[in-house]
Amino acid sequence: MQIEPIKAKSEQLFRELVTKLRAIFAARPGDSTQTEPIKAKIERLFRELITQLRAIHVDHLERKWIAISIIIIAFMVGVITVDALFHGVNPPSKVETIDSASLHLSKEFAEENLGVQVDGKGNVVVRMVAGRYSFFPKHIDVPAETAITFRWVSMDVLHGVHIPMTNMSTMIVPGYVAEITTTFPKPGEYPLLCNEYCGLGHNHMWSNISVVAKEDWTAKANAPSPAPATK
Ligand code: CUA
């Protein structure tokens, strides 16, 4: 007996279903064929489909693989759910909105406020603006082994930011503030790359970050600061 492959058979069934559904919706209300209510018709169609699908012969080995792939998918969805509910893994934005067109007029993201700052509680906060095609400021120094809170905004389109070999990576969606707190364990020079396609200059969109040893950085921060933060 020639067994039809499952894929071909199920494709054929779905094509038939679509044709029948189209016929149902194309029929005019006054049509003589339209005696049965639409809902009943659709229900009957789906019942028929299920019966036909059940009738398809599935090899036991194939059945096994179908089960294995469903288990893998269920496992992955489970991991994501557990992470989201118990490990706080979720999108970085706290749905904090901002007007992208007037960033330069905003208190927080005005030009003199960008870059690295230490707030009243001693937390290191970095504010940066992404725009085609760079991150501003172009270069920043941050201390190693210190929690750093990055606050990102976009002044035009969707960008992403990624610092290779660290866990610093987020989308920067126009209209929203993306906030991430992270720690860089090792001093060094890191590039800061855009990882969302944002236009012709996308692959030239980058900036630099120097992670300096904690002791050296404190010294630097105590030197006369370039511009006092005005609020
Ligand atoms: Cu910005 Cu790609």
Side-chain angles (χ1 to χ4, degrees), residues 159 194 196 198 202 205:
H159 298 281
C194 179
E196 290 286 342
C198 52
H202 163 71
M205 181 161 171

Side-chain angles (χ1 to χ4, degrees), residues 208-221:
N208 289 307
I209 172 166
S210 307
V211 178
V212 291
K214 213 173 171 179
E215 318 78 71
D216 301 344
W217 190 82
T218 320
K220 219 173 207 172

Side-chain angles (χ1 to χ4, degrees), residues 132-133 157-159 194 196-205:
R132 291 186 289 180
Y133 294 103
V157 297
L158 175 70
H159 298 281
C194 179
E196 290 286 342
Y197 184 74
C198 52
L200 287 178
H202 163 71
N203 51 340
H204 297 291
M205 181 161 171

